[in-house]
Structure formats: C-alpha cells, structure tokens
Amino acid sequence: MAAPILELKGIERSYSEGEGRLTILKDAGFTLRPGEMVALVAPSGAGKSTLLHLAGLLEAPDAGEVIVAGQACGRLSDDARTAIRRNEIGFVYQFHHLLPEFTAEENVMIPQMVAGMDPAEAKTRASQLLDYLRVGHRGSHRPAELSGGEQQRVAIARAVANAPRVLLADEPTGNLDPKTAGYVFDALEALVRQSGLAALIATHNHELAARMDRVVTLEGGKVTAWKR
C-alpha cells in the first residue's frame, strides 16, 4: 500500500465565540493516499470547510500536525506553507472563481506562470488539460460565455495545472444540476484515476459519494467512517 500523501494527526481547531471558544475539530485524524478518492459528507456547520482549509494549509491548527508528502507543515512560516500549497495542492470550490476578464485557457495558464513556467509551455499544458476535460473547444471563451459545467471543468483544469499531488474540493458539483454534476464528476474521477492524484471531496451528494473509495464524516470534531 502506498504511503499517505496527506496526513492529519491529532488536529485541534477552535474559534473565539463571544467570551468563550467554539471547538470545531478535536483530536481529528485522517490519511489520504495517492490515487484515492475520499468523500467527506457531514451536516453544514460540522467543520468540513475547516478541515479542508487545514488540509490545504490555508489555516494552521491550534494543535496537532498536517503532513503533506512526508513534510510536517503545521508550524511552517506562511511563505513556506504557500510554496507547498502552490506545488502540492490543488483546490476546487462550489463556485468556479475563474477570472472573468481572461479566457478559459488563460485561467489555466495563470497558476503555471505564477509558478515560473514559460508561457509557451503553460499554454500547451492548459490546452492539453482542457482537451482532456472535453472543453478544449471552449478555450478561447471567457467564463461568462461558458455553461456552469464547462466553467467547473475549467476550474478543475486550473486546480491541477501545476500537477499537484493532492486535490481538495469543496462541493465541486453543488451548484450544478444532477446531469451536469454527473458529467463534471466523471471528468474529475477520470483525472484522479489516471494521474494518481489523491482527492478529498466534500459533498452533500450521496450518490456521488458512493462512487468514491471511502466516505468519511465528522462527529464530535473527529473524522470517522460514514455509517450508511
């Protein structure tokens, strides 16, 4: 069995609430391996977004450790966490957050160029990713000219443009109708299976969750197996 690409160990996270503290995660642990798709299904307010933010190094835990590709990241500087996030982690959200003034192809090129890739190489890779996700013929169109499913497939291409090893998705099909959601999930699943990417996907869609390798939830601030 492959070694985990993402590990959360003994994670604690709480926030100020009035004069007290609201505990979101308590001694939470989780592992994600290459090529694995894991669904995170939990009620609103249970801490799904907090878990994804911590796993993606957007926040630091109050206690515990986040390990990405074997490197402990919880106590790194902001700059060091940003570098790991840029190289190792991709994000997809419910709303695509594409830059409206740029074409689909340019939206996929930008993160590559930020990472230092030559524009010509970035353009070639963007074109290949869009073709793979079956939106290559829409590469010259701006987001407002794309359907919801097309926008989300472009967002997936952007998320994996720098060849991350971990993909974190927060309700990536939540803003789409069921048929379109199925198309987007099919594209995402094919990408994960063929690339060896590891994906943690928060979703309320139980049908899509059932297609993944594992389903986990949050109970009492801990990550537990989903009880069907």
Side-chain angles (χ1 to χ4, degrees):
M1 183 179 292
I5 191 68
L6 172 66
E7 295 179 85
L8 276 64
K9 295 184 175 181
I11 294 295
E12 309 273 344
R13 190 71 171 110
S14 62
Y15 300 95
S16 297
E17 185 180 55
E19 297 181 358
R21 302 283 294 180
L22 176 64
T23 298
I24 303 297
L25 298 174
K26 185 175 178 61
D27 194 27
F30 177 75
T31 61
L32 186 65
R33 300 178 188 278
E36 185 178 34
M37 293 185 77
V38 177
L40 175 60
V41 179
S44 297
K48 296 191 302 295
S49 294
T50 297
L51 183 71
L52 290 173
H53 288 171
L54 291 165
L57 308 183
L58 295 170
E59 296 182 32
D62 299 323
E65 190 55 86
V66 179
I67 302 169
V68 179
Q71 182 173 1
C73 304
R75 301 294 173 263
L76 295 177
S77 68
D78 288 345
D79 287 347
R81 289 206 312 273
T82 297
I84 294 172
R85 191 166 59 243
R86 180 182 299 147
N87 295 323
E88 304 287 0
I89 303 171
F91 297 88
V92 181
Y93 300 98
Q94 179 174 350
F95 300 99
H96 55 79
H97 297 302
L98 298 174
L99 299 174
E101 65 271 31
F102 295 99
T103 66
E105 185 176 74
E106 290 166 343
N107 266 277
V108 182
M109 290 174 61
I110 288 169
Q112 300 176 75
M113 293 168 64
V114 169
M117 183 176 286
D118 176 79
E121 293 181 17
K123 182 179 177 66
T124 297
R125 177 162 173 78
S127 178
Q128 291 171 342
L129 283 169
L130 292 173
D131 283 342
Y132 183 84
L133 291 166
R134 300 184 179 180
V135 283
H137 63 294
R138 306 289 275 164
S140 63
H141 292 72
R142 288 182 169 79
E145 301 171 308
L146 305 176
S147 71
E150 289 170 339
Q151 290 170 344
Q152 201 64 321
R153 279 180 281 169
V154 174
I156 292 170
R158 179 185 58 186
V160 300
N162 286 335
R165 291 195 275 180
V166 177
L167 181 68
L168 303 174
D170 195 355
E171 296 287 351
T173 63
N175 202 37
L176 305 173
D177 65 82
K179 185 175 181 179
T180 304
Y183 288 149
V184 170
F185 184 83
D186 288 345
L188 180 57
E189 183 178 26
L191 191 62
V192 170
R193 301 305 186 198
Q194 294 188 27
S195 68
L197 189 65
L200 175 62
I201 302 172
T203 181
H204 282 111
N205 189 323
H206 288 207
E207 182 179 338
L208 295 183
R211 294 174 55 181
M212 300 189 218
D213 300 309
R214 284 189 287 139
V215 184
V216 298
T217 189
L218 288 164
E219 293 182 339
K222 296 185 178 184
V223 182
T224 65
W226 176 261
K227 299 178 179 64
R228 297 183 185 278

